[in-house]
Amino acid sequence: MTEYKIVDPTTNALVRRYPTSDDATVDRAIAAAAEEFAEWRRRPIKERADAVLAVSREFEHRRADLAAIITREMGKTTREALAEVDLSAAIFAYYAEHGPDFAADQRLDIRGGDDVVVRCEPLGALLGVMPWNYPYYQVARFAAPNLVLGNTVILKHAPSCPESAQAIEDIMRAAGLPAGAYVNVYASNEQVARAIADPRVQGVSLTGSERAGRAVGEVAGRHLKKYVLELGGSDPFIVLPDADLQAAVSAAVEGRMGNAGQACTASKRFIVVAPLYDRFLDAFTAAVRGLTIGDPTDDGVSFGPLSSEEAARTVIAQVRDALEKGATAVAGGSRPARGGAFVEPTVLTGVTPAMRAYREEIFGPVAVVHRVPDTATAIRLANDTPYGLGSVVFGRDIAAAKAVGDALDVGMVSINGPSGTQEDLPFGGVKLSGVGRELGSYGMNEFVNRKVIRVRGRAG
């Protein structure tokens, strides 16, 4: 059975258990969201946008408390936790400001001269299934555009994030949203499947693992429900021979080790063209060795523990598999001699297709560095993955760097800078990295009925 609880990964101590919702509670949540939809959709979009702006201000007002919650739940450093709260507030504010324009009627000029508009209408109650690595941000990018559009939200968060899940619902109430507009449930996987199948639920958005995405997509497809899946990534970071070495190394450390490496868009495979390989590896390894791990509330700590003991064991198993099959750990490679779900910042070389680390997503502070003879080989290696989320290309010749980016089978390319996210930048991938897009204007293009209204013959 799904168990909702807080286990502080810094110490692996149990903080608090939360009761899993029973079937009746989940049913009431679905009923509340479905019933409220009839009222919420009829409110003027400006009124809905104002409510979402109030959500943004509540995030700002509760900034320190919200950050402390996710540090306790999943080990995020205080610095990164505060940044996540700020980004979440920015997302709600962005859709409050721009959402009404994104949803405005679009007039079409069609053959024959009839008066035609395409109207954006909400679909209904939506289910969100969210992960633990960014407890506020992931929810914000799903909930904000849909609340402005007029959909209602049932939110099932990760079992390790019950306190942040409740905090978000509390914010919604404090901001003045009606109870059915946003409902938090501590649901089990079985209850999620039944909710997707429920005719009162019109769509589902999941951010999580490939395994979870397959399960949700299968149920949604069987019941002809709209779905968005934001899944894993094994993002390449390509260093071309003319790259600015210092800038590339700095971006590599930031892109791989941020959030203790627990990001789907983290750069995970560093593919360096031979002329720069030795210098890059030496500088990158030295920078990684200089990182400090420890209590995430300490200002001087680079990153804290992984989200859980299970997560730490999974990452170390992937590293050991590589080492046993001939790879080399030029930095790290084990767990420090202390309690908690910590993993040393690690750099692996000599990784081959026979190793788990070659194709699997490593969700932790482990970088795999490959040496390739030329740019064509770098592109082939970058695309030799079932994932296709983000990527980074470093090179002073911008046209050449862009050409490499054009050849990558990914949803996002960053030239001369680490992958990042912001409220007005579309987010999403291809292949096993998911289906659909979020953020920017695209965030309001998924769970929407684009109704065509045609008036035959223009009124005289």
Side-chain angles (χ1 to χ4, degrees):
M1 181 177 179
T2 305
E3 186 177 17
Y4 284 80
K5 60 183 179 181
I6 301 171
V7 176
D8 186 342
T10 303
T11 61
N12 284 339
L14 175 65
V15 177
R16 183 181 174 187
R17 297 182 189 275
Y18 286 69
T20 302
S21 299
D22 58 24
D23 290 348
T25 300
V26 175
D27 186 74
R28 285 194 297 271
I30 295 172
E35 290 169 8
E36 179 57 41
F37 172 67
E39 299 298 326
W40 185 246
R41 70 177 300 182
R42 282 200 286 266
R43 294 195 185 191
I45 192 169
K46 177 62 166 59
E47 186 177 327
R48 296 195 299 265
D50 287 345
V52 168
L53 180 59
V55 171
S56 173
R57 290 170 176 162
E58 285 292 329
F59 267 89
E60 294 171 347
H61 177 68
R62 305 180 187 210
R63 182 173 184 261
D65 290 341
L66 292 172
I69 289 172
I70 57 176
T71 295
R72 182 165 54 249
E73 283 182 331
M74 51 80 59
K76 194 186 297 281
T77 65
T78 299
R79 179 186 68 259
E80 290 181 323
L82 290 169
E84 181 178 340
V85 174
D86 293 343
L87 176 57
S88 302
I91 291 171
F92 282 104
Y94 174 80
Y95 284 106
E97 179 181 357
H98 298 284
D101 290 335
F102 294 153
D105 286 354
Q106 178 186 1
R107 191 166 298 279
L108 300 185
D109 183 13
I110 70 166
R111 178 175 52 83
D114 289 345
D115 184 14
V116 180
V117 297
V118 178
R119 180 156 296 155
C120 292
E121 294 188 348
L123 291 182
L126 306 176
L127 175 65
V129 183
M130 295 295 128
W132 48 260
N133 59 331
Y134 290 95
Y136 302 127
Y137 158 70
Q138 305 281 10
V139 174
R141 71 185 194 185
F142 163 61
N146 284 300
L147 289 171
V148 172
L149 183 62
N151 292 313
T152 55
V153 171
I154 307 152
L155 203 292
K156 185 269 183 206
H157 219 314
S160 58
C161 297
E163 189 176 4
S164 54
Q166 184 60 55
I168 298 170
E169 186 178 58
D170 292 344
I171 283 174
M172 297 291 176
R173 298 291 84 75
L177 274 76
Y182 183 99
V183 189
N184 174 63
V185 290
Y186 297 132
S188 67
N189 292 338
E190 293 77 12
Q191 290 167 335
V192 166
R194 289 197 293 272
I196 296 171
D198 193 303
R200 295 170 295 181
V201 173
Q202 300 304 309
V204 57
S205 179
L206 173 134
T207 298
S209 68
E210 174 195 339
R211 178 185 59 80
R214 288 181 186 277
V216 165
E218 189 274 331
V219 177
R222 189 176 348 125
H223 294 278
L224 300 180
K225 301 293 179 69
K226 170 70 179 183
Y227 59 87
V228 169
L229 306 175
E230 297 290 357
L231 309 178
S234 189
D235 291 10
F237 185 116
I238 297 175
V239 182
L240 300 176
D242 66 337
D244 181 324
L245 179 64
Q246 183 177 353
V249 169
S250 177
V253 174
E254 178 184 346
R256 171 68 280 205
M257 300 300 171
N259 206 41
Q262 301 169 116
C264 52
T265 55
S267 295
K268 301 180 176 77
R269 298 177 298 136
F270 297 84
I271 302 168
V272 188
V273 181
L276 209 57
Y277 176 83
D278 290 333
R279 292 170 59 203
F280 175 87
L281 180 62
D282 288 346
F284 181 53
T285 301
V288 168
R289 286 175 177 165
L291 298 175
T292 57
I293 58 176
D295 187 330
T297 62
D298 290 348
D299 291 340
V301 167
S302 302
F303 60 85
L306 271 63
S307 65
S308 67
E309 181 64 21
E310 180 182 3
R313 289 176 180 173
T314 297
V315 169
I316 286 299
Q318 292 170 305
V319 171
R320 287 175 179 165
D321 173 80
L323 297 179
E324 290 168 359
K325 294 175 181 176
T328 299
V330 295
S334 61
R335 298 185 63 177
R338 58 176 298 162
F342 290 88
V343 172
E344 293 178 343
T346 298
V347 178
L348 297 177
T349 60
V351 170
T352 70
M355 304 169 188
R356 293 175 59 189
Y358 186 87
R359 293 194 189 279
E360 292 182 8
E361 179 182 28
I362 303 180
F363 218 60
V366 179
V368 175
V369 184
H370 296 278
R371 177 181 184 137
V372 294
D374 51 43
T375 300
T377 306
I379 293 170
R380 286 197 297 272
L381 179 56
N383 286 334
D384 188 18
T385 173
Y387 299 104
L389 191 54
S391 61
V392 173
V393 181
F394 261 83
R396 285 190 170 91
D397 184 335
I398 301 301
K402 285 183 176 179
V404 172
D406 288 343
L408 300 180
D409 300 328
V410 296
M412 301 174 286
V413 179
S414 177
I415 306 294
N416 290 335
S419 293
T421 185
Q422 59 191 57
E423 61 274 14
D424 53 358
L425 186 68
F427 185 101
V430 296
K431 300 195 286 188
L432 295 187
S433 289
V435 178
R437 291 294 184 273
E438 294 183 309
L439 297 177
S441 62
Y442 294 81
M444 293 187 75
N445 287 339
E446 296 290 351
F447 297 102
V448 61
N449 173 21
R450 293 195 173 276
K451 181 184 289 184
V452 176
I453 303 172
R454 178 179 185 177
V455 180
R456 294 280 188 167
R458 294 185 182 275

